[in-house]
Structure formats: C-alpha cells, structure tokens
C-alpha cells in the first residue's frame, strides 16, 4: 500500500459542536500525518464543485446550503492507505448504519449532519484537495521516520 493523501472536512456541524479536536485527534492517533489545514467558509461555487457527483439528487441543495452555512475545517491527511483508512474511521454515511467506535456512530444522529467528509478514492482525493488547497499550502512531512514509528 502506498502513501496516499486524502481530503478530510470537519463540516460546519463539527465546528459548531466543538468536535474538531476530537476528529483530528482520531486521525492523528491512527497515525495519519496532517500536511495541510485551514478553517474557511465555503462559497456556493466551491461547494457545488466539491459535491459535483451529487448534482441533481434530491438532497443536493440542502447539502450545499449546509456545507456553506458556517465555517469548516479542511485538512489533508497522509499515510499508508489513508483514503480507505480515514473512511473507516468516519464510518458509514448514515450514522445509524455506522459501526460503533467510528466518528459518525459515536457523535452523529442523521445523514445530513454526519460531521465529517473524507474522499472516497485516490482520484477523488486529488480532485477535491485541489478545490481546497494550493501547492504552497502543504508542508513536507517525513514519512520515512513516521512510518518506522507506526509499522
Ligand atoms: P459520504 O460523505 O459518506 O462520502 P456521499 O454519498 O458522498 O457520502 O454523500 C455526501 C454527503 O451528502 C453525505 O456525507 C451526507 O451528509 C449527504 N447525504 C448523502 N445522502 C443523503 C441523503 O439521502 N439525504 C440527505 N443527505 C445525504
Ligand atoms: Mg462521498
């Protein structure tokens, strides 16, 4: 498995509920490295671009309204198989279907307020990260040393 980058969003519900530290803490404890991080409020264009695959679905407008409703925290997590690993930490999209111990099962009740976003493939991660971060937003992290600690 290769070192991957994935986009994680602590959505506006996570920020307003004070769960950003909890979410980032879980990523860090799993061993993922954070290589870019910013708090921002999305405009409609960026939100529609980010969630483009869902355009036309009945929940699309509500999703865009919610993700633009307040500040979110966007970050890039890096590590071995980080895309799938972060999805695992998040749990299923619907918190009622998420396994206990995952972020969504432990802290969320409904699919529309499920606290966190994580890219679902390496290709989506690349596309999504480019919406949130420029090349010079990333810091270089020493994966060799980090890998030795976690292997
Ligand atoms: P994911 O966040 O687990 O990747 P997606 O299917 O990509 O799930 O959907 C993006 C987001 O849209 C979900 O996290 C959720 O907040 C919202 N969403 C997905 N399906 C529904 C739905 O049926 N009703 C309301 N919101 C939904
Ligand atoms: Mg998705």
């Amino acid at each position: 498995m290769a070192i991957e980058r994935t986009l994680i969003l602590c959505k506006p519900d996570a920020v307003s509920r004070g769960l950003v530290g909890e979410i980032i803490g879980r990523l860090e404890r799993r061993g993922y490295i954070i290589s870019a991080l910013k708090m921002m409020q999305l405009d409609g264009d960026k939100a529609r671009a980010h969630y483009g695959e869902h355009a036309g679905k009945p929940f699309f407008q509500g999703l865009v309204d919610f993700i633009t409703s307040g500040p979110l925290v966007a970050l890039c997590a890096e590590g071995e198989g980080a895309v799938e690993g972060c999805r695992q930490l998040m749990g299923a999209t619907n918190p009622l279907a998420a396994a206990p111990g995952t972020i969504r099962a432990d802290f969320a009740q409904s699919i529309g307020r499920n606290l966190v976003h994580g890219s679902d493939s390496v290709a989506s991660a690349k596309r999504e990260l480019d919406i949130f971060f420029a090349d010079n937003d990333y810091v270089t992290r020493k994966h060799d040393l980090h890998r030795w600690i976690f292997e």
Side-chain angles (χ1 to χ4, degrees):
M1 187 61 78
I3 298 288
E4 296 171 352
R5 280 181 166 177
T6 190
L7 174 75
I8 301 295
L9 301 178
C10 303
K11 298 187 196 179
D13 48 344
V15 174
S16 60
R17 291 180 55 198
L19 289 169
V20 173
E22 175 69 40
I23 293 166
I24 293 178
R26 288 178 178 222
L27 300 171
E28 288 187 316
R29 295 201 300 271
R30 179 77 178 265
Y32 298 124
I33 276 176
I34 296 168
S35 58
L37 177 83
K38 66 170 79 152
M39 179 176 265
M40 62 197 290
Q41 186 156 354
L42 274 192
D43 61 30
D45 285 347
K46 276 202 164 129
R48 282 185 287 274
H50 171 68
Y51 280 125
E53 69 183 286
H54 299 301
K57 294 184 186 169
F59 61 86
F60 183 66
Q61 190 57 48
L63 182 58
V64 170
D65 288 347
F66 179 65
I67 204 76
T68 58
S69 68
L72 55 72
V73 172
L75 64 92
C76 174
E78 296 184 8
E80 292 259 332
V83 168
E84 188 185 342
C86 288
R87 297 278 296 183
Q88 209 176 56
L89 287 180
M90 289 160 47
T93 308
N94 185 343
L96 288 174
T102 62
I103 293 164
R104 285 165 166 171
D106 287 357
F107 301 110
Q109 295 180 20
S110 73
I111 196 166
R113 299 290 183 270
N114 60 4
L115 297 169
V116 66
H117 167 85
S119 309
D120 63 9
S121 67
V122 171
S124 322
K126 164 101 187 75
R127 185 187 74 78
E128 294 171 2
L129 282 165
D130 285 348
I131 296 171
F132 287 83
F133 297 110
D135 285 350
N136 64 4
D137 288 326
Y138 294 92
V139 296
T140 302
R141 302 295 302 262
K142 292 189 170 58
H143 280 284
D144 287 352
L145 174 63
H146 194 76
R147 231 164 159 171
W148 184 81
I149 296 167
F150 278 93
E151 78 184 355

